[in-house]
């Protein structure tokens, strides 16, 4: 490919990352074209600059290609600046949701270094295993929690600083449209970060549609929660404290599990098991599977994808099944604390779903509700370490440690009151 053509492709990818093509049918190609460009903007900018410099030193310069390279570079610089602002966007959300003094309840206030852009970490964003080794993280792999072969396995992440007992626990639920995905493909930056700080993190597989249609997926998440409460002490975890997170379909399962503790319709054969969680952090989740929000994008997702592939049921004749699966319609005053995260440029899941879910939580739940809508962020922005994802890993860390410290103090207070009584 010639220089001008390479720069034309780069310019088109950059433009789509800044303002992706709208529409249900174009959402998937717009995502794939914009996601990597946006999250790898520093690397793409470096390659663009190097290509333009090498071309400008040649004997035959193409002014059109150089002009396109200049436009791409300006656009990529904008994307980098936008990603760097994620630290401000996330912090503003935490302050709004938790209170201006929430940092006083952390183990220590975040340092300037913790709030800075981690350039060294994102230089090689795909070096997951090397990063884990440097942090002293150990992965206990392929532990059975359900009788479904590979789909019934989980991994447990611990580290050199994990205590022998009483560590907070995080459950990670992978995404993939309920039809694909694996436990070691998503959530790795967050799990490695928290495990290195002493948390016990659990990543699960679950049965996939269309081979195993809904509600197999949420049943398996509930089964994993029950397993954690029964067995996590073997890895140093506290079975009484469990937070849950996941992205996309995993964000949906995270939210649904959080707002339906002990729901018998999702716990066949283990109805008496405790499947409650203390906090939930869904990333770019699907919250309206029934089309109840009135969003056209939600209705199209229901009719064109969910009904034929995931549910294998008609939303017209069996609407209740879709309503039961919608976190938007399952919110109660007892919902746990939530930190909901979504990108403003998500072309796969309309951010309107997140806004509607947050509004329902804020009008009903007795607990805190924090919402960060990240300007310019596409779907799946947290899959690998990038400027934006690293800032959100740290923001999620602050939210979870704030919550863990509050929970511990409440437990200590309750124990002291019982002792006095």
């Amino acid at each position: 490919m010639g220089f001008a053509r390479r720069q034309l492709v780069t310019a088109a990818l950059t433009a789509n990352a800044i303002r992706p093509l709208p529409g249900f049918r174009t959402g998937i190609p717009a995502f794939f074209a914009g996601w990597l460009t946006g999250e790898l903007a520093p690397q793409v900018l470096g390659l663009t600059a190097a290509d333009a410099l090498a071309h400008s030193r040649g004997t035959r310069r193409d002014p059109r290609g150089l002009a396109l390279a200049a436009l791409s570079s300006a656009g990529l610089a904008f994307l980098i600046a936008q990603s760097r602002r994620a630290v401000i966007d996330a912090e503003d959300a935490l302050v709004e949701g938790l209170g201006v003094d929430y940092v006083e309840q952390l183990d220590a206030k975040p340092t300037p270094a913790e709030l800075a852009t981690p350039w060294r970490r994102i230089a090689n964003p795909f070096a997951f295993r090397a990063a884990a080794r440097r942090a002293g993280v150990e992965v206990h792999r392929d532990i059975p929690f359900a009788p479904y072969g590979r789909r019934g396995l989980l991994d447990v992440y611990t580290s050199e600083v994990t205590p022998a007992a009483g560590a907070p626990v995080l459950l990670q639920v992978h995404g993939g449209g309920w039809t694909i995905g694996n436990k070691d493909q998503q959530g790795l930056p967050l799990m490695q970060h928290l495990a290195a700080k002493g948390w016990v993190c659990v990543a699960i597989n679950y049965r996939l549609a269309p081979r195993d249609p809904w509600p197999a997926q949420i049943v398996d998440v509930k089964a994993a929660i029950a397993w954690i409460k029964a067995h996590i002490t073997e890895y140093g975890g506290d079975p009484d404290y469990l937070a849950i997170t996941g992205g996309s379909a995993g964000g949906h399962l995270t939210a649904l599990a959080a707002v339906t503790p002990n729901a018998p319709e999702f716990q066949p054969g283990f109805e008496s098991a405790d499947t409650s969680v203390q906090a939930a952090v869904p990333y770019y989740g699907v919250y309206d599977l029934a089309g109840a929000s009135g969003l056209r994008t939600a209705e199209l997702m229901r009719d064109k994808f969910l009904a034929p592939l995931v549910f294998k049921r008609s939303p017209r004749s069996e609407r209740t099944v879709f309503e039961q699966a919608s976190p938007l319609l399952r919110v109660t005053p007892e919902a746990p604390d939530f930190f909901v995260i979504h990108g403003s440029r998500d072309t796969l899941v309309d951010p309107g779903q997140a806004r509607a879910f947050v509004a329902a939580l804020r009008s009903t739940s007795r607990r805190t509700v924090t919402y960060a809508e990240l300007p310019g962020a596409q779907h799946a922005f947290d899959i690998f370490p990038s400027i934006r994802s690293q800032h959100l890993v740290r923001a999620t860390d602050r939210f979870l440690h704030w919550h863990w410290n509050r929970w511990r103090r409440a437990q200590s207070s309750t124990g002291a009151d019982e002792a006095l009584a």
Side-chain angles (χ1 to χ4, degrees):
M1 185 183 294
F3 173 70
R5 289 186 178 181
R6 289 196 301 273
Q7 296 310 317
L8 180 61
V9 171
T10 302
L13 291 172
T14 302
N16 180 70
I18 295 172
R19 188 173 292 276
L21 294 171
F24 181 76
R25 294 187 181 279
T26 57
I28 294 176
F31 157 66
F32 282 108
W35 164 54
L36 286 174
T37 305
E39 296 309 310
L40 295 175
Q43 288 84 350
V44 178
L45 177 59
L47 291 173
T48 301
D51 194 16
L53 180 61
H55 178 78
S56 65
R57 289 177 174 174
T59 56
R60 298 182 62 183
R61 300 177 184 176
D62 187 334
R64 295 171 302 174
L66 290 171
L68 287 169
L71 287 173
S72 296
S73 297
L76 292 164
F78 169 79
L79 290 171
I80 292 169
Q82 191 176 61
S83 295
R84 295 184 69 185
R85 278 193 55 85
V87 64
I88 299 172
D89 300 326
E91 188 62 20
D92 287 347
L94 290 170
V95 169
E96 179 188 10
L98 308 181
V100 69
D101 63 342
Y102 91 92
V103 293
E104 304 295 337
Q105 301 176 54
L106 302 178
D107 296 333
K109 292 183 179 180
T111 66
E114 290 172 328
L115 298 174
T117 300
W119 294 110
R120 181 177 296 181
R121 179 71 180 92
I122 67 175
N124 186 0
F126 302 108
F128 290 117
R129 295 188 185 278
R133 285 195 298 270
R134 288 194 298 270
V137 174
E138 181 180 3
V139 186
H140 312 267
R141 299 189 184 278
D142 296 332
I143 302 165
F145 75 91
Y148 306 120
R150 190 168 68 90
R151 302 314 307 176
L153 301 178
L154 57 80
D155 296 339
V156 178
Y157 290 68
T158 59
S159 75
E160 299 167 346
V161 299
T162 303
V169 184
L170 177 71
L171 170 59
Q172 155 69 28
V173 185
H174 73 76
W178 306 271
T179 61
I180 60 173
N182 201 57
K183 56 185 168 56
D184 59 0
Q185 295 172 343
Q186 299 173 28
L188 297 179
L190 178 61
M191 289 191 294
Q192 291 174 357
H193 179 85
L194 288 174
K197 288 191 169 187
W199 283 61
V200 176
C201 299
V202 181
I204 64 167
N205 281 341
Y206 52 85
R207 287 172 291 168
L208 302 173
R211 176 177 176 177
D212 292 292
W214 184 266
Q217 296 71 37
I218 188 63
V219 169
D220 291 355
V221 172
K222 296 279 191 173
I225 293 173
W227 183 94
I228 288 169
K229 291 178 182 288
H231 297 281
I232 206 63
T233 55
E234 300 169 20
Y235 301 90
D238 185 341
D240 295 326
Y241 184 86
L242 174 61
I244 185 170
T245 188
S248 194
H252 160 253
L253 294 168
T254 289
L256 187 61
V259 297
T260 60
N262 311 322
E265 67 270 26
F266 297 145
Q267 298 182 205
F270 58 104
E271 291 87 353
S272 62
D274 177 15
T275 58
S276 62
V277 300
Q278 281 60 57
V281 188
Y283 279 62
Y284 42 87
V286 183
Y287 307 106
D288 178 18
L289 287 77
S293 63
L295 291 168
R296 181 57 179 159
T297 50
E299 294 171 350
L300 288 169
M301 179 185 289
R302 177 197 66 195
D303 296 341
K304 303 296 185 182
F305 178 72
L306 293 171
L309 285 177
V310 179
F311 284 73
K312 292 189 175 181
R313 300 187 184 198
S314 167
R316 306 292 185 270
S317 60
E318 299 182 79
R319 184 174 178 81
T320 300
V321 176
F322 291 80
E323 291 175 342
Q324 287 181 333
S326 298
L328 176 64
L329 302 177
R330 302 297 298 266
V331 176
T332 68
E334 288 71 40
D337 297 88
F338 265 87
F339 183 15
V340 180
I341 301 166
H342 216 98
S344 71
R345 295 294 186 184
D346 192 327
T347 61
L348 295 188
V349 182
D350 191 330
Q353 290 203 31
R355 296 171 199 147
F357 181 57
V358 167
L361 285 169
R362 286 176 172 169
S363 66
T364 305
S365 174
R366 299 192 186 103
R367 302 294 181 85
T368 63
V369 182
T370 302
Y371 179 49
E373 185 170 312
L374 306 175
Q378 250 289 6
H379 201 74
F381 66 84
D382 67 322
I383 297 297
F384 54 83
S386 66
I387 296 173
R388 183 182 285 111
S389 73
Q390 286 295 284
H391 284 315
L392 266 295
V393 162
R394 295 171 180 186
T396 302
D397 173 340
R398 294 196 293 278
F399 170 81
L400 289 174
H401 275 95
W402 167 85
H403 193 274
W404 164 241
N405 287 340
R406 281 188 63 198
W407 184 85
R408 282 192 298 174
R409 283 194 292 270
Q411 295 300 109
S412 298
S413 176
T414 300
D417 291 342
E418 290 176 352
L420 290 173

